[in-house]
Amino acid sequence: MRKISTLFALFLAILSWAQSSISGKILDEDGKPIPSASVTVEEPGKDAIIAFSITNVKGEYKVTFTTPEENVDLKIKAYNQKPSQKAVKNEDQTQNFTLQSDATEIKEVKLKAKMITKRGDTISYDIKAFESKADRTLSDVLKKIPGIDVNKDGTVLYQGEPINKFYVNGKDLMEGGYGTINNSLPTGAVQKVEVMENHQPVKILQDKVPSENAGLNVILKKSVTMTGRGEVGVGMEPLLWNVKLTPMFFGQKNQWVLNYKTNNNGESVEREGNMLAFGNRFEGRRGQSAGNYWLSVDKASVPNVPEKRYLMNNVHFFSANVLTTPFKSKDWELKASASYTNNAIDRNSTRETVYEQDTDFFKTGKIITNESNNLYSNAAKGEVIITKNAKKGFFKNTTTWNGFWNEDRGNTSTLYNMAIPDPTLKDIFINEALGAPTGIIKNSLSTIIPWKEKLVNFMSYLSYQKDRQTLSAEYENFIDLGSGFDRFDQRVSSTTLMANHSASVGFSYKRLTITPEVGLNLSFNDMNSKLYADGNLLGISYQNQMKWNEINPYSQVALNYKGKAINATVNLPLNMYGIDYKDLLRNKDSEINRTVFEPTFYGSFDFASFWKLSAYGGLNYNFGDFGSVYDGSILISPKSLNARDSNLLPENRNINSSARLEYRNPLNNLFFNARYSYNDAKRNIITKSRPFASGASAVTLEYIDNNSYSQSESAEIGKYFPKFKTNASINFSNRDSNSYSILVDQNNVDNYIESINNSQSLAFKFNNTYFSWMSLDYNISLNWNKNSDDYRNNVNKYSGWNHNLNLFLYPIENHTIGLVWDDVTTSQGAINLRNSFYDLSYQYTWAKKKIDFEIKWLNIGNKKLYETISYNTTYFSTTRNSIEIRPSQVMFTVKFNFK
């Protein structure tokens, strides 16, 4: 709590600075308004700009600033007018100017559009200023824009935080699943990209309820655009294919995107359907659907390199998104989407663990574990959304259906080579299979109705989900779980019904909105499980028939202040939790009834035109959820048997706090942010596990109070250098955390262990398009890690680095030569494992038809294994992991645009 108090004190101290506004009109000698004149507020005697504004078509301006200076300089500049300057006091006032003409004869005029401009909360980026000759789609360019980053999963970040909306010409066609457009919209169709800071997507709330996230709007060159991207490729070693067909249409009333992609060359195109932006809570409940997976096969490891290096896939993905305006009122929109995925993935890895000395857990020796998988998945989704988003009302209803049909296969072998042979340790072989169908249907409704000067909001969410899973495992020489059986079959079925309803009324007074709210959250869950051994049903100790029901009525008051520079939100909820666990097989009934206060705070302050300070603090409780307890043991994986005593109901308390300082200055293309976060978690239950040499474990729970924390600091600065056409950024982060566990050794002794971890990373990003014959993208990240535990007093340090180089040469017009170099290194003690990959490509562009012909040679060195190394401080063991990756391959691809 002391750290939160410090953050709030800092926030309030900066708020105490005086804030002033200067407004007025700029006229010429004839009394006519001068549009697009620049107005800057500067420190006296310096060129340091505190704030700036631009006059509108009426010659009006308003500039708000914060500075401790008693006086400031107000400077006015306009084309064909003499500049004007005036010293004024630091206070609210009106200043009008009449400029004298200063026409100059110019022999030659070169017009250059500004690459970054800012008006109010909107920053606009000229897409052409950051585009290189090798860029073809929007995602290629977004990665190079200062202040914007793109995660590996496709999430777009602004100043380190995910955007909450992705629009095209002001319309949200994709409803958060914007990966398809981002990866397939040709750059030639885009005029500019707008970042809307503090974006409130619900129009009726825009002057009342602030938002902490930014939205992104893609402005196309034409208001009616038929576009899209296509690729057709074939390859060898083995036979490879890659087909991408994504036509798009963006009109004033209608938009649609069709998408079909299939490949076996290592690209997970099915992820384009994932939700990456979740909008605003007043839009209703939104989330990524997934099965409630109780069981899993043992999975081979996945390396930390681009997917194209290791993913052995065969995928087909189809999606369609349509937006139309069905009524005369443009405020109403109807959206429909559908998608289907069929995917098959192969994985193989080998884990070699060397135990350097005898411990209470393992004896000296070497254990080799081989894991291989065949993972098959089918997924389908359909969604219909009807929305009215207007200044005088809001309505949004979303109906979604999801179906998942997963079939996973696995083979695991464990081979022993001990320093002293142990006759009880025999090589183990396991064949594994999992079937997991899931069906989900849900409906989300939210409406905001103006009533006199009040806003009435009703929200409703209904969801029904059914999961069925069957895990089968055939064993040879496996006795670690005390079974001695040759086969296990674990069956689990579960259903979940959720209903959330709320009503609120918003009262506004000037810039303050007070919103009292009442709500009721209901969750009803059933789970049945049975474990069979060699075809026979085991006893009640391996069965479950349970119900987990939760009733959560709540009331809260939200206070929202939205000012010119200060935005603040305080939520004061009182939650009543009633949780009932019933074990129908054992006639057990456990309950939790708690009433808790869970406040949250968010505030932001814009000052000195380019600076923004924000802070967050929150307290919340968690009393477990469905799956927290079950008395009958469940084989959650072929080598892990778990039981969770229903007498051990969790009670967790979490305190979260964070602060962020941002600087974004489009005048000099400079962006900076620094962040701090702290989390304190208090728990009453700890995990207790007994490890075995085969990698198996038996897991239970135990009542022990424990506190864990995590703390992180990070800073990032990025700048675009127009003269050199270079964008560069550097990022540093530090994270500290701890965790607790109980390990049971071979003598059945409980060992209480606290693990302490520290990680640091330094990343540098650089791209350059200065030379007409070359463009360069370079990314490098370095990481350092340190972990220890109080059980052994053993400290381990390891490090690594990862860099990516993309070099494109343009020796002749329409000809491109590309070189890609990925390099990942991990270091443990004196051991360094380096994984280097090289790709070479040649592309010819048929400029008249805008068609690219590309031939690419991937993994030139034909590297077949990715290797990492790690050390366990508790077991005194070193593990070397080898993961199978894609071999050398050659692809020929034809790329084209739809119009």
Side-chain angles (χ1 to χ4, degrees):
M1 294 298 290
R2 184 182 303 170
K3 292 180 179 289
I4 297 179
S5 299
T6 302
L7 290 174
F8 289 169
L10 176 62
F11 185 73
L12 294 173
I14 295 183
L15 291 184
S16 65
W17 290 6
Q19 186 178 69
S20 303
S21 293
I22 303 176
S23 59
K25 281 189 173 183
I26 312 295
L27 307 175
D28 62 16
E29 292 176 311
D30 297 326
K32 295 181 180 180
I34 300 176
S36 301
S38 68
V39 182
T40 59
V41 178
E42 303 181 10
E43 292 185 14
K46 300 180 181 179
D47 290 329
I49 297 176
I50 302 173
F52 78 100
S53 179
I54 297 175
T55 58
N56 58 20
V57 293
K58 297 180 180 180
E60 299 169 335
Y61 75 92
K62 184 174 184 179
V63 59
T64 301
F65 59 94
T66 303
T67 178
E69 299 288 339
E70 294 184 2
N71 299 292
V72 294
D73 288 339
L74 189 62
K75 296 182 179 180
I76 314 297
K77 293 182 180 179
Y79 182 68
N80 273 344
Q81 306 291 331
K82 287 184 178 181
S84 180
Q85 178 176 336
K86 188 175 184 180
V88 298
K89 291 185 177 181
N90 181 4
E91 60 185 27
D92 293 344
Q93 57 189 288
T94 299
Q95 291 287 344
N96 298 319
F97 290 84
T98 299
L99 303 184
Q100 297 179 359
S101 62
D102 186 24
T104 304
E105 183 179 348
I106 302 175
K107 295 181 179 180
E108 182 180 7
V109 177
K110 292 184 179 180
L111 298 178
K112 293 185 179 180
K114 296 205 67 170
M115 58 189 65
I116 305 176
T117 58
K118 186 176 189 295
R119 284 178 178 265
D121 283 342
T122 300
I123 297 178
S124 299
Y125 299 87
D126 179 8
I127 201 79
K128 287 295 181 183
F130 305 96
E131 182 183 358
S132 72
K133 292 181 179 179
D135 295 333
R136 292 294 182 268
T137 64
L138 178 62
S139 62
D140 295 334
V141 185
L142 282 182
K143 301 172 184 178
K144 302 174 181 178
I145 294 178
I148 296 179
D149 289 302
V150 181
N151 278 347
K152 290 182 179 179
D153 65 355
T155 303
V156 177
L157 308 178
Y158 175 69
Q159 291 287 66
E161 297 294 327
I163 61 172
N164 62 9
K165 282 290 182 178
F166 185 99
Y167 302 100
V168 177
N169 283 349
K171 293 184 179 295
D172 183 17
L173 166 64
M174 306 305 289
E175 284 286 346
Y178 55 78
T180 299
I181 292 181
N182 202 20
N183 293 331
S184 301
L185 180 62
T187 58
V190 180
Q191 178 181 349
K192 62 182 177 179
V193 172
E194 295 180 338
V195 172
M196 299 166 288
E197 299 181 317
N198 307 314
H199 177 57
Q200 169 58 265
V202 180
K203 294 180 180 179
I204 196 172
L205 301 177
Q206 285 179 348
D207 297 326
K208 300 174 178 66
V209 179
S211 172
E212 58 186 287
N213 292 101
L216 188 143
N217 185 27
V218 180
I219 304 296
L220 304 181
K221 293 179 179 178
K222 299 179 180 179
S223 59
V224 178
T225 301
M226 177 68 189
T227 186
R229 186 74 176 160
E231 295 183 18
V232 178
V234 294
M236 54 186 295
E237 287 302 323
L239 177 63
L240 304 171
W241 72 84
N242 179 24
V243 177
K244 299 180 182 180
L245 302 172
T246 313
M248 307 175 184
F249 174 80
F250 301 100
Q252 295 179 331
K253 290 186 177 181
N254 303 295
Q255 293 186 351
W256 54 259
V257 172
L258 299 178
N259 185 34
Y260 173 68
K261 295 181 179 178
T262 177
N263 72 80
N264 68 342
N265 70 337
E267 186 176 355
S268 57
V269 292
E270 70 278 6
R271 291 186 180 178
E272 289 186 348
N274 290 350
M275 286 192 64
L276 304 174
F278 300 93
N280 183 285
R281 70 174 294 265
F282 289 99
E283 295 183 82
R285 184 164 176 173
R286 303 278 290 159
Q288 183 72 34
S289 297
N292 185 11
Y293 295 111
W294 298 79
L295 315 176
S296 67
V297 299
D298 294 316
K299 299 285 183 67
S301 301
V302 174
N304 182 29
V305 291
E307 280 186 332
K308 66 180 181 180
R309 301 295 182 194
Y310 69 86
L311 185 62
M312 313 285 188
N313 70 327
N314 184 332
V315 63
H316 298 265
F317 175 64
F318 168 80
S319 67
N321 293 74
V322 178
L323 179 152
T324 186
T325 305
F327 308 119
K328 290 184 178 179
S329 172
K330 296 181 180 180
D331 296 329
W332 286 92
E333 291 181 343
L334 175 65
K335 305 172 191 178
S337 64
S339 65
Y340 174 74
T341 302
N342 175 275
N343 196 14
I345 296 175
D346 295 340
R347 290 178 182 163
N348 295 278
S349 68
T350 298
R351 187 170 60 253
E352 182 181 286
T353 303
V354 177
Y355 297 94
E356 301 166 359
Q357 63 186 66
D358 289 348
T359 66
D360 295 331
F361 299 98
F362 302 108
K363 301 300 181 183
T364 305
K366 179 191 297 185
I367 299 177
I368 300 174
T369 302
N370 299 298
E371 293 173 325
S372 63
N373 297 117
N374 300 107
L375 310 176
Y376 305 99
S377 63
N378 288 274
K381 176 184 178 181
E383 189 168 66
V384 176
I385 302 173
I386 185 166
T387 304
K388 177 187 178 182
N389 191 5
K391 281 290 186 180
K392 295 183 179 181
F394 176 80
F395 176 90
K396 185 171 187 176
N397 189 85
T398 304
T399 303
T400 309
W401 173 83
N402 293 91
F404 302 93
W405 301 270
N406 293 344
E407 298 284 341
D408 296 343
R409 302 289 182 267
N411 287 282
T412 302
S413 65
T414 305
L415 311 177
Y416 297 98
N417 183 8
M418 312 309 292
I420 301 177
D422 186 344
T424 63
L425 296 178
K426 298 181 180 180
D427 294 344
I428 299 170
F429 303 91
I430 308 175
N431 291 323
E432 313 165 11
L434 172 67
T438 293
I440 306 171
I441 185 168
K442 52 190 177 183
N443 189 85
S444 172
L445 168 67
S446 178
T447 182
I448 302 176
I449 304 170
W451 177 46
K452 296 182 179 179
E453 295 182 357
K454 306 176 184 65
L455 297 179
V456 181
N457 174 228
F458 295 100
M459 288 195 289
S460 174
Y461 175 78
L462 297 170
S463 173
Y464 178 78
Q465 177 167 339
K466 185 173 183 63
D467 299 274
R468 298 194 311 275
Q469 295 159 45
T470 301
L471 173 65
S472 300
E474 296 180 347
Y475 302 91
E476 183 179 338
N477 299 329
F478 184 72
I479 60 173
D480 280 346
L481 298 181
S483 63
F485 296 108
D486 295 327
R487 181 186 174 101
F488 276 141
D489 292 279
Q490 177 70 69
R491 298 177 183 175
V492 176
S493 63
S494 63
T495 60
T496 297
L497 174 64
M498 297 180 65
N500 303 330
H501 306 287
S502 67
S504 64
V505 180
F507 303 84
S508 295
Y509 176 73
K510 294 184 178 179
R511 295 185 177 275
L512 179 65
T513 301
I514 303 173
T515 309
E517 179 179 324
V518 294
L520 178 63
N521 300 326
L522 304 172
S523 179
F524 304 101
N525 307 272
D526 297 273
M527 189 271 279
N528 295 277
S529 72
K530 295 179 180 180
L531 182 61
Y532 295 82
D534 292 340
N536 300 311
L537 178 63
L538 296 181
I540 193 174
S541 298
Y542 299 92
Q543 299 180 44
N544 287 287
Q545 187 178 348
M546 60 164 281
K547 291 181 178 292
W548 176 284
N549 299 325
E550 183 173 347
I551 300 177
N552 168 217
Y554 71 90
S555 62
Q556 75 170 19
V557 176
L559 305 174
N560 297 284
Y561 177 83
K562 184 170 178 59
K564 297 178 181 178
I566 301 173
N567 294 317
T569 298
V570 178
N571 284 306
L572 305 172
L574 189 66
N575 285 298
M576 291 153 276
Y577 293 98
I579 301 173
D580 182 25
Y581 166 81
K582 285 184 172 62
D583 188 327
L584 302 182
L585 287 179
R586 299 164 183 82
N587 295 318
K588 295 177 65 175
D589 193 343
S590 301
E591 293 184 355
I592 288 181
N593 292 286
R594 297 286 188 275
T595 300
V596 294
F597 180 54
E598 300 180 286
T600 61
F601 164 81
Y602 170 78
S604 66
F605 175 49
D606 291 272
F607 61 99
S609 185
F610 308 116
W611 291 89
K612 177 182 177 181
L613 175 68
S614 59
Y616 170 83
L619 169 67
N620 72 282
Y621 293 84
N622 180 276
F623 302 100
D625 50 23
F626 185 37
S628 297
V629 296
Y630 46 85
D631 284 271
S633 296
I634 298 178
L635 190 74
I636 63 171
S637 72
K639 294 190 290 186
S640 185
L641 189 65
N642 286 14
R644 300 177 178 270
D645 191 342
S646 63
N647 293 317
L648 304 175
L649 292 176
E651 296 187 25
N652 304 323
R653 186 270 294 145
N654 292 282
I655 298 175
N656 300 284
S657 62
S658 63
R660 184 172 59 180
L661 179 66
E662 300 176 49
Y663 177 83
R664 53 266 192 265
N665 187 345
L667 297 179
N668 59 13
N669 310 308
L670 180 63
F671 292 78
F672 165 81
N673 69 82
R675 288 172 288 172
Y676 172 81
S677 65
Y678 182 83
N679 173 264
D680 180 276
K682 181 179 180 181
R683 303 181 177 91
N684 67 327
I685 289 176
I686 197 168
T687 301
K688 180 178 179 179
S689 60
R690 178 172 182 176
F692 297 93
S694 64
S697 63
V699 180
T700 57
L701 302 176
E702 188 165 311
Y703 263 138
I704 294 180
D705 291 335
N706 61 97
N707 272 75
S708 61
Y709 77 94
S710 64
Q711 163 179 301
S712 64
E713 307 87 15
S714 66
E716 180 179 18
I717 184 170
K719 180 173 173 58
Y720 185 78
F721 301 89
K723 184 176 181 180
F724 303 101
K725 294 185 178 181
T726 297
N727 181 37
S729 68
I730 188 167
N731 177 289
F732 176 78
S733 65
N734 177 79
R735 178 180 171 83
D736 295 279
S737 63
N738 75 330
S739 60
Y740 295 92
S741 62
I742 294 177
L743 294 179
V744 183
D745 61 29
Q746 294 177 345
N747 301 315
N748 290 322
V749 175
D750 293 352
N751 299 277
Y752 184 81
I753 298 174
E754 178 187 13
S755 298
I756 301 173
N757 304 281
N758 171 261
S759 62
Q760 297 175 332
S761 67
L762 178 66
F764 176 70
K765 180 174 71 173
F766 171 90
N767 60 71
N768 177 276
T769 57
Y770 180 77
F771 301 101
S772 61
W773 52 271
M774 183 190 75
S775 63
L776 173 67
D777 294 326
Y778 183 70
N779 298 273
I780 184 170
S781 63
L782 300 93
N783 61 83
W784 302 268
N785 299 273
K786 176 182 176 182
N787 56 58
S788 61
D789 63 66
D790 58 354
Y791 174 64
R792 298 291 192 192
N793 291 321
N794 190 10
V795 178
N796 175 50
K797 296 181 180 181
Y798 60 98
S799 61
W801 58 279
N802 184 339
H803 84 75
N804 167 259
L805 172 72
N806 287 266
L807 174 66
F808 294 96
L809 304 175
Y810 317 105
I812 308 174
E813 184 71 19
N814 299 325
H815 295 262
T816 303
I817 299 172
L819 172 66
V820 176
W821 176 19
D822 290 326
D823 209 316
V824 183
T825 297
T826 58
S827 300
Q828 175 66 63
I831 301 176
N832 293 293
L833 296 179
R834 187 170 183 178
N835 301 274
S836 300
F837 305 90
Y838 305 93
D839 303 334
L840 187 64
S841 65
Y842 166 74
Q843 179 174 285
Y844 170 73
T845 300
W846 187 3
K848 185 177 181 179
K849 298 293 185 179
K850 295 183 180 180
I851 298 176
D852 297 324
F853 301 92
E854 180 189 65
I855 185 167
K856 180 180 289 187
W857 184 8
L858 295 95
N859 192 5
I860 295 175
N862 199 26
K863 189 176 181 65
K864 297 181 180 179
L865 292 177
Y866 175 93
E867 296 182 296
T868 63
I869 192 165
S870 61
Y871 181 77
N872 188 294
T873 57
T874 302
Y875 304 145
F876 292 102
S877 63
T878 300
T879 299
R880 185 164 182 157
N881 205 7
S882 301
I883 306 169
E884 181 180 329
I885 57 176
R886 299 185 67 90
S888 181
Q889 56 192 42
V890 177
M891 289 286 297
F892 174 75
T893 305
V894 180
K895 306 176 184 180
F896 54 92
N897 293 343
F898 290 97
K899 288 193 176 181

